[in-house]
Amino acid sequence: MKRFLILNGPNLNRLGKREPGVYGADGLDVLEAMIRKEAATLGVLVSFLQSNHEGALIEAIHAAHDEALDGIVFNPAAFTHTSVALRDAISSGTVPVVEVHISNVHAREEFRHTTVTGAVSRAVISGLGFEGYLAALRFLAANKS
Ligand code: CA2
């Protein structure tokens, strides 16, 4: 069975508590339940990690590479726009990463228009809300390479 890591970065544990106009009214628990349901439909295994710490995210990506997972669905949150270390972690192995943003980062402040991590990801999805995670999982689950 194919195995995927669903990785969420800083402050995404606050989903549903503030800024519903940008990120929706539902929390991370609702997002994870939606992904579990999609994974069951696809017949794949998913594991979840949310961390507010860059190093924990880096180590999770290393572990995914070492365990030869079939893909990572990754919302690096604010680290998207700054983190060369996360970019290097993605590049340090062969597991494909699809970067997901709940909001359309290109329709927001200029500093969100750059994604440091997106350039080394297989694809970037931005602005589909929680549906972006499901689209990323479907894409990775169908991936032949
Ligand atoms: O749109 C996305 O998914 C983002 O990755 C979310 C990040 C933001 O820094 C990126 O530019 C775009 C922010 C995640 C923090 O989420 C919050 C949730 C509730 C209240 C405040 C922030």
Side-chain angles (χ1 to χ4, degrees):
M1 208 180 237
K2 289 186 174 179
R3 298 165 300 152
F4 299 97
L5 173 64
I6 315 299
L7 192 56
N8 277 302
N11 298 305
L12 286 162
N13 55 320
R14 306 297 292 168
L15 280 174
K17 298 188 196 300
R18 295 270 321 265
E19 300 198 48
V22 181
Y23 300 117
D26 292 322
L28 190 60
D29 54 338
V30 171
L31 172 62
E32 292 189 352
M34 286 171 64
I35 295 170
R36 274 200 185 87
K37 193 169 166 220
E38 186 69 24
T41 302
L42 293 168
V44 301
L45 286 175
V46 283
S47 58
F48 297 91
L49 180 73
Q50 185 279 325
S51 180
N52 298 319
H53 303 279
E54 194 175 25
L57 297 167
I58 290 167
E59 285 171 4
I61 294 168
H62 291 171
H65 286 317
D66 290 345
E67 293 163 22
L69 293 195
D70 296 288
I72 304 172
V73 177
F74 187 22
N75 185 344
F79 289 145
T80 303
H81 316 298
T82 61
S83 180
V84 175
L86 280 169
R87 176 186 165 122
D88 289 347
I90 293 168
S91 298
S92 75
T94 56
V95 175
V97 172
V98 174
E99 178 169 311
V100 172
H101 299 287
I102 297 166
S103 64
N104 178 357
V105 290
H106 301 288
R108 301 182 64 192
E109 303 95 325
E110 185 121 14
F111 68 85
R112 296 186 204 274
H113 297 182
T114 301
T115 162
V116 175
T117 43
V120 292
S121 297
R122 176 68 183 75
V124 179
I125 298 172
S126 184
L128 296 185
F130 287 3
E131 177 64 30
Y133 290 78
L134 308 185
L137 185 61
R138 283 195 292 270
F139 172 80
L140 287 168
N143 192 19
K144 301 282 187 290
S145 60

